[in-house]
Amino acid sequence: MSSIKNHVQLIGNIGHDPTITNLENGKKVARFSLATNEHFKNAKGEKQTETSWHAIVAWGSIVDIVEKYTEKGKEVGITGKLKTRSYTDKDNQTHYITEVVADEILLLGSKPDKA
């Protein structure tokens, strides 16, 4: 059970083309947003959709998959873990960011038409 203490599974659509950064140490990192939708009925019985946005970070061989096969709008499945980091801005204010660090990506939906 210890392996599922910090485990996230999401299926959604990529919100913007992934940003790939080449680091000085030769490693690459991919960052993108993922939109997930929850469907429900409100008190009046009307269908509603609530969209949540998640910051995704990928390292290692996953970056190659993200770089070659994903783009804005692509439906993907992500498994990973939550990680919170902080930084201090120029006004000396601390900001906290919670991200999903991807362990695995699954390409879903139809294949894109490549001309």
Side-chain angles (χ1 to χ4, degrees):
M1 284 292 248
S2 65
S3 65
I4 62 170
K5 287 184 180 179
N6 185 359
H7 182 79
V8 176
Q9 291 182 316
L10 299 169
I11 294 176
N13 296 87
I14 294 176
H16 60 79
D17 286 338
T19 302
I20 310 297
T21 305
N22 294 300
L23 304 176
E24 290 180 13
N25 62 6
K27 293 183 181 182
K28 293 194 289 190
V29 61
R31 294 182 184 278
F32 58 94
S33 60
L34 188 74
T36 57
N37 294 316
E38 182 178 349
H39 305 282
F40 60 93
K41 290 185 180 181
N42 65 14
K44 296 178 182 179
E46 300 166 330
K47 290 182 181 180
Q48 302 289 306
T49 301
E50 184 175 291
T51 301
S52 296
W53 290 93
H54 312 276
I56 310 294
V57 178
W59 297 89
S61 60
I62 298 172
V63 177
D64 295 331
I65 295 168
V66 170
E67 190 172 29
K68 290 178 186 175
Y69 302 109
T70 68
E71 60 188 8
K72 178 181 178 179
K74 176 72 177 163
E75 184 180 27
V76 296
I78 300 286
T79 61
K81 62 184 175 186
L82 291 176
K83 181 104 175 173
T84 301
R85 61 184 174 89
S86 64
Y87 69 92
T88 304
D89 67 15
K90 63 182 179 191
D91 297 325
N92 206 30
Q93 290 193 348
T94 302
H95 299 268
Y96 296 91
I97 299 170
T98 300
E99 301 167 315
V100 176
V101 179
D103 294 327
E104 186 176 359
I105 186 167
L106 179 63
L107 303 173
L108 302 172
S110 60
K111 291 183 180 181
D113 294 331
K114 296 285 182 178

